[in-house]
Amino acid sequence: GEGLMSKRDPKAIRASPSPPLLALLIAAVVLGVAALIGYQLWTSRPGATVAAVDYPTGLTPDGYPYKGNSKAKIIIEEYSDFQCPVCARYTREVAPRLDEKYVKAGKVYYIFRYFPFLGPESFRAAEAAACAAEQGKFWEYEHMVFANQRGENLGWFSDDRLIGFATRVGLDRGAFERCLLSGKYRDFIRSAADAGRQRGVRATPTLFINGEKIEGLYDVTFYETYIDTLLRQGP
């Protein structure tokens, strides 16, 4: 019996984790669950940063937000949907480089044209952005909305959340809420979408650079090369 037990003991030790190892495994599972919960909480919170806007901004005569030099040789028009993930990538990866190199230098007049087409939340987010533009903070609000995308038409861009974004970028909450809930810009946004379709816009992002249509997302160097070529052509 003693010999048999001595043969079984090593197997028993190998089959069952020792108490210290078991404690480590439990701790690892607990930490993993905590990390997952933390990640979910982080991804559900509003963006922690607000884009710095240190260039001229305003509204065009037909009511669209602009940034940069209205007398610049290069005019860029961006057609965008706030639920479009590729538009969010453009805003994150391309737009800041163009701002730094051309908008701040007064070389580009940049216009944002609302083109909601992915569903009701796209239209509502565009209305909210128009309310932000009314208070002079369209570009900050645009950054906040794109930073907080969470899928298309899943209820994420609710009125409450859109109002919350407004407070995050320093807007007057009461005025913003009244603007959004009144539907003040509903017809304007619908007409903006119609105008885009009439111009031949079929997807987002679509840019017009001095009237030439560029559909889709490209590496930032593509846009820089395109703009630099136009700038070199002289007046």
Side-chain angles (χ1 to χ4, degrees), residues 33-48 148 150 156 161:
V33 171
L36 179 61
I37 292 171
Y39 174 77
Q40 290 172 337
L41 288 172
W42 172 260
T43 55
S44 67
R45 69 195 290 272
N148 284 278
R150 299 292 185 272
W156 177 254
R161 192 162 279 117

Side-chain angles (χ1 to χ4, degrees), residues 39-188:
Y39 174 77
Q40 290 172 337
L41 288 172
W42 172 260
T43 55
S44 67
R45 69 195 290 272
T49 59
V50 178
V53 178
D54 52 2
Y55 34 73
T57 64
L59 294 176
T60 65
D62 53 352
Y64 292 92
Y66 77 81
K67 56 185 174 182
N69 175 15
S70 62
K71 302 187 187 314
K73 177 186 173 182
I74 309 296
I75 300 174
I76 298 178
E77 301 165 85
E78 174 192 347
Y79 286 80
S80 188
D81 184 308
F82 284 109
Q83 289 196 105
C84 160
V86 184
C87 297
R89 278 190 58 201
Y90 171 85
T91 301
R92 183 173 60 249
E93 298 171 10
V94 175
R97 289 272 294 273
L98 301 186
D99 284 351
E100 195 63 39
K101 189 171 180 180
Y102 305 106
V103 175
K104 291 181 183 180
K107 296 177 180 178
V108 161
Y109 182 48
Y110 196 105
I111 302 168
F112 183 98
R113 298 200 181 275
Y114 306 97
F115 191 70
F117 74 101
L118 291 174
E121 290 185 51
S122 297
F123 280 85
R124 199 57 169 161
E127 288 181 57
C131 289
E134 186 179 86
Q135 293 191 42
K137 284 188 176 288
F138 169 83
W139 299 104
E140 295 90 339
Y141 194 82
E142 177 220 32
H143 175 90
M144 183 65 67
V145 175
F146 276 130
N148 284 278
Q149 276 185 350
R150 299 292 185 272
E152 298 171 15
N153 298 309
L154 300 176
W156 177 254
F157 286 154
S158 64
D159 285 357
D160 283 348
R161 192 162 279 117
L162 292 169
I163 292 166
F165 295 160
T167 62
R168 293 284 298 173
V169 299
L171 294 171
D172 179 316
R173 181 188 175 98
F176 181 90
E177 191 169 346
R178 286 190 297 273
C179 176
L180 181 63
L181 299 184
S182 71
K184 180 175 182 178
Y185 290 105
R186 185 177 298 123
D187 290 342
F188 172 71

